[in-house]
Amino acid sequence: MTPVSLAPLPLLHLVLGLLLAAWSLCFIVRIVLTWYPQVDWHSGFWAIVAWPTEPLLVPTRRLVAPIGGVDVTPVIWVGLLSLVRELLVGQQGLISQWMLRSMAVA
């Protein structure tokens, strides 16, 4: 049997880490902008923030009602994305551990 090449792991680690961080940042911007109800999510820069977040927020809003009139669904997604990021590319994450093991074998 030939060994599996693990060369793309560092690239996967980097890209996945950056994507999850950018996605989390978009949700954090959404959280801050909830304090400004006059913001139009469909125009200008805000559409860039709304585009990757809204497909997740819509179904989540059906499951989680606002608490005291405050939409908490972006906070839920920041927590979930932080968990996924830590599990995959964090210091003890799966991809991080695979990279360490592949370096030890090489």
Side-chain angles (χ1 to χ4, degrees), residues 8-57:
L9 275 180
L11 180 62
L12 176 66
H13 186 270
L14 175 68
V15 169
L16 194 57
L18 289 174
L19 285 174
L20 289 169
W23 213 2
S24 295
L25 182 62
C26 286
F27 278 109
I28 291 170
V29 170
R30 295 263 334 214
I31 292 168
V32 171
L33 289 177
T34 59
W35 301 334
Y36 303 98
Q38 72 273 14
V39 172
D40 180 18
W41 289 104
H42 303 293
S43 67
F45 172 76
W46 309 124
I48 296 170
V49 173
W51 173 74
T53 58
E54 199 62 27
L56 294 175
L57 292 175

Side-chain angles (χ1 to χ4, degrees), residues 35-82:
W35 301 334
Y36 303 98
Q38 72 273 14
V39 172
D40 180 18
W41 289 104
H42 303 293
S43 67
F45 172 76
W46 309 124
I48 296 170
V49 173
W51 173 74
T53 58
E54 199 62 27
L56 294 175
L57 292 175
V58 169
T60 310
R61 285 184 189 122
R62 287 187 216 125
L63 296 173
V64 180
I67 299 173
V70 176
D71 182 17
V72 294
T73 55
V75 176
I76 292 169
W77 278 105
V78 167
L80 288 173
L81 286 171
S82 296

